[in-house]
Structure formats: structure tokens, C-alpha cells
Amino acid sequence: MLYAKVNANGEIIDVATSQSEEYKLLVAPNEPTVASILEKKFATSDTSTQEILASSDSDMMRILEDLIDLLTEKRLIQFTELPIAAQKKLLSRKWVRGVHNHHDDSLMVDNINEGGDDILI
């Protein structure tokens, strides 16, 4: 989400990724003024758009995992409808997160990696 800072005339003069006292207005990145400001920021920044995308990949993966969990809990999809490779990847990541958070989900690594050369993560 992007939040805009506006001047006294209500014109967007800057954008930020978090809401604050100055940046109150929620805006879309494809709005022309916002897009122009973002383009200028990227042009003057040492950070490339590729670096920004790469840094958000892990967050995006977690969102997708949570979405799949939610859809399966609500029985809108069945976990077994996902491709086997996706099931293995999701189960292994869930197990690793459980171990990392000291909440072992009792998934066995041997069963996850059975019959394939898939890596755990």
C-alpha cells in the first residue's frame, strides 16, 4: 500500500509505504501523479526495482501460504488439488516454520521428500 502526502491545494507531493501523520491518503501506484513520483524516487535511489522485488519475495510467499491455509480451512479448495510439488513445498515450509517457532507441526521430513530430489525449501 502507498500513502500520499498532499499540499494545501490537495495535490500529491510525495508517497510512502507506511501511513503516518503526514502521509494519510491511500493511493494506487498506477495513478499518474503517484507513478511519476515513484519513477523519480527509483531514478535517484541506489536501490533498483529488482532489489525491491527480491526483498519482498519472502513476504509475498508468506502471504500466499496464509491464503492457501485460509482457502483450505474454509473448504474453498482442497489441499490435495494443488500439484504434488506445491504440496511438498508448502508442507516442508510449514514444518520448517514450526521448528523455527518451536511449534513442531509433527510433519516428517522423510515423507515430504519421498521419492524425489526436491529440496526442503
Side-chain angles (χ1 to χ4, degrees):
M1 289 197 221
L2 292 173
Y3 297 91
K5 178 180 180 179
V6 295
N7 64 14
N9 298 328
E11 299 165 332
I12 298 171
I13 56 172
D14 196 17
V15 293
T17 56
S18 58
Q19 190 174 23
S20 70
E21 191 62 33
E22 288 184 302
Y23 296 84
K24 297 178 183 178
L25 180 65
L26 184 63
V27 292
N30 61 346
E31 196 274 321
T33 305
V34 174
S36 174
I37 291 169
L38 289 173
E39 187 177 329
K40 287 175 189 171
K41 283 187 174 207
F42 288 132
T44 60
S45 171
D46 290 338
T47 306
S48 72
T49 53
Q50 183 61 39
E51 290 172 316
I52 293 169
L53 287 173
S55 70
S56 70
D57 282 351
S58 62
D59 293 336
M60 196 63 204
M61 182 61 191
R62 184 56 199 249
I63 291 168
L64 291 173
E65 290 172 24
D66 291 345
L67 177 61
I68 290 169
D69 285 345
L70 178 66
L71 292 173
T72 56
E73 285 174 21
K74 292 186 175 259
R75 299 179 189 260
L76 296 172
I77 64 167
Q78 292 182 353
F79 186 76
T80 55
E81 292 176 321
L82 297 171
I84 296 295
Q87 291 178 39
K88 287 181 179 182
K89 182 68 75 175
L90 288 165
L91 288 172
S92 64
R93 286 184 54 84
K94 189 172 194 171
W95 180 81
V96 170
R97 273 198 326 273
V99 169
H100 178 73
N101 294 327
H102 308 294
H103 299 109
D104 187 348
D105 289 333
S106 300
L107 297 175
M108 298 180 62
V109 176
D110 292 340
N111 289 345
I112 295 170
N113 201 20
E114 208 172 84
D117 293 323
D118 297 283
I119 59 173
L120 187 59
I121 298 176

